[in-house]
Amino acid sequence: MSAAAPAQPRAVIGGGSGYLGTAIRDALRIDGYDVRTIGRSGADASWDDPEGIRRLVDGSALVVGLAGRRIDCRYTDRNRHEILRSRVETTRALHRAISAAELPPAVWLNGSSAGLYRYALDRAQTEQDPADDGGFLPDVTRAWEAELFGGDLPATRRIALRTTLVLGRGAPVMTMLLRLARLGAGGAQYDGWWFPHRRYRGIGPHPTAPAEPGHHRSQGRQMFSWIHERDFVEAIRFLRDHDAISGPVNMAAPVAVTNRDLMRTLRRAAHAPFGLPAPRFVLEPGMAVLGTESQLVLKSNWVAPQALFDAGFRFRTPTLEGAIAAILNG
């Protein structure tokens, strides 16, 4: 009589229908996991079903939390509230399910953002640097991580995925930037004076003011940190398998570029013969038409993946040129 086949380990993905959730779901299925999802229509459990979430989480080997409304939108009061709520409430639901589980997962990887770090032109920010920038997105991320790391979960290793902009086929930021390049607007974006507004004000129980209100005369030298979708997925696998890693982890490629270099690389890839630079007084109306915010390209977000480096992770796509070539030719 043959022995019964061993049961598949279960992985639970919160927000598994999104761009990154789909990529991770497919990778974990290749790895032999029985992948279950939490979300809206078509998921194995919904966010308003705490008992259903608990049943999925109990006995699972791995939980990945990626739920949250996209940030590439206009920060109206309604959108600001939804960006915060969608991250905090879903992370709280996962925390409660893991706390109540008889067999909690060994590791919980949860979304976060590298936008916590200050505007940096002098050097890259690592996990050892203060995550103390102020304003809307940093406040959202602090509240997000507070839900992840709060309370005692002694059997579960917790990691905050402080993610930069993810580049890949179908990635929203990639689509937007390539569109600008193909339309001839693929020059550098220059910060400068703009009419005061309150869309970037702090939020949550302890709202902060932006660390340096106003603008920076970076002249297109603001840094752009990013990670290729394939390296993001491989880093998830790496973090899952390395028990010594916990806490915040910067999900960023090792080579950041300036905004000028970013747009030059995109123009070449799009075969655009020229790219008009975009001072802020031109950029702001354009971003309003696109339904997003200039902060996404004007903040100098220079982040280094020190925790991954120290643990021996090897990036498959460390340069922007290689990442864009892989996206367009893959």
Side-chain angles (χ1 to χ4, degrees), residues 71 114 163-167 171 173 176-177 224-229 251-253 262 296-297 301:
I71 63 169
T163 307
T164 54
L165 291 174
V166 180
L167 303 184
V173 67
M176 179 191 73
L177 292 172
F224 176 80
S225 290
W226 57 278
I227 187 170
H228 189 273
E229 171 198 314
M251 302 289 277
L262 165 68
L296 298 179
V297 294
N301 197 30

Side-chain angles (χ1 to χ4, degrees), residues 184-223:
Q189 286 102 31
Y190 298 153
D191 203 351
W193 182 86
W194 186 246
F195 298 100
H197 62 77
R198 302 186 66 242
R199 296 193 304 277
Y200 300 163
R201 70 191 185 278
I203 197 171
H206 305 289
T208 63
E212 295 184 50
H215 59 270
H216 303 260
R217 295 198 175 276
S218 56
Q219 298 297 308
R221 294 180 296 108
Q222 65 268 27
M223 299 299 291

Side-chain angles (χ1 to χ4, degrees), residues 19 164-169 174 224-235 251-257 265 303 305 308-309 313-330:
Y19 167 69
T164 54
L165 291 174
V166 180
L167 303 184
R169 278 185 174 272
M174 194 75 235
F224 176 80
S225 290
W226 57 278
I227 187 170
H228 189 273
E229 171 198 314
R230 180 171 55 189
D231 280 326
F232 185 92
V233 171
E234 289 304 312
M251 302 289 277
V255 183
V257 297
T265 303
V303 179
L308 287 171
F309 268 147
F313 180 74
R314 298 185 66 179
F315 286 85
R316 294 185 180 186
T317 313
T319 67
L320 182 68
E321 291 85 352
I324 293 175
I327 292 165
L328 296 181
N329 302 324

Side-chain angles (χ1 to χ4, degrees), residues 65-330:
L66 296 172
R69 192 207 193 283
R70 283 166 43 179
I71 63 169
D72 57 328
C73 62
R74 296 296 279 181
Y75 297 159
T76 61
D77 287 350
R78 179 177 179 178
N79 286 344
R80 282 163 47 88
H81 172 76
E82 182 59 19
I83 287 169
L84 176 65
R85 185 206 64 78
S86 62
R87 286 159 173 76
V88 168
E89 292 187 4
T90 54
T91 304
R92 184 180 299 151
L94 290 176
H95 197 295
R96 287 174 175 168
I98 293 171
S99 298
E102 294 183 12
L103 294 173
V107 59
W108 174 16
L109 302 157
N110 205 70
S112 182
S113 170
L116 275 171
Y117 299 111
R118 66 178 173 86
Y119 185 109
L121 291 173
D122 54 339
R123 63 177 178 83
Q125 304 294 288
T126 74
E127 294 88 350
Q128 303 305 313
D129 284 291
D132 58 359
D133 199 9
F136 172 56
L137 289 180
D139 282 356
V140 168
T141 308
R142 268 186 287 275
W144 201 3
E145 290 194 0
E147 293 294 335
L148 169 65
F149 292 124
D152 189 26
L153 299 176
T156 301
R157 178 166 55 96
R158 289 173 279 182
I159 296 173
L161 304 167
R162 288 186 177 169
T163 307
T164 54
L165 291 174
V166 180
L167 303 184
R169 278 185 174 272
V173 67
M174 194 75 235
T175 302
M176 179 191 73
L177 292 172
L178 280 171
R179 184 186 304 163
L180 288 175
R182 287 168 177 150
L183 291 174
Q189 286 102 31
Y190 298 153
D191 203 351
W193 182 86
W194 186 246
F195 298 100
H197 62 77
R198 302 186 66 242
R199 296 193 304 277
Y200 300 163
R201 70 191 185 278
I203 197 171
H206 305 289
T208 63
E212 295 184 50
H215 59 270
H216 303 260
R217 295 198 175 276
S218 56
Q219 298 297 308
R221 294 180 296 108
Q222 65 268 27
M223 299 299 291
F224 176 80
S225 290
W226 57 278
I227 187 170
H228 189 273
E229 171 198 314
R230 180 171 55 189
D231 280 326
F232 185 92
V233 171
E234 289 304 312
I236 292 288
R237 287 167 158 156
F238 184 88
L239 294 168
R240 172 197 68 195
D241 296 338
H242 284 71
D243 294 341
I245 304 175
S246 63
V249 173
N250 290 344
M251 302 289 277
V255 183
V257 297
T258 66
N259 178 265
R260 287 182 178 184
D261 288 339
L262 165 68
M263 300 311 295
R264 184 184 301 118
T265 303
L266 287 168
R267 290 198 305 273
R268 289 173 182 163
H271 305 292
F274 64 90
L276 298 175
R280 192 168 182 182
F281 68 85
V282 172
L283 182 65
E284 288 285 355
M287 287 299 196
V289 170
L290 291 173
T292 188
E293 292 286 352
S294 66
Q295 185 183 54
L296 298 179
V297 294
L298 292 179
K299 180 178 178 179
S300 188
N301 197 30
W302 192 357
V303 179
Q306 194 63 51
L308 287 171
F309 268 147
D310 291 346
F313 180 74
R314 298 185 66 179
F315 286 85
R316 294 185 180 186
T317 313
T319 67
L320 182 68
E321 291 85 352
I324 293 175
I327 292 165
L328 296 181
N329 302 324

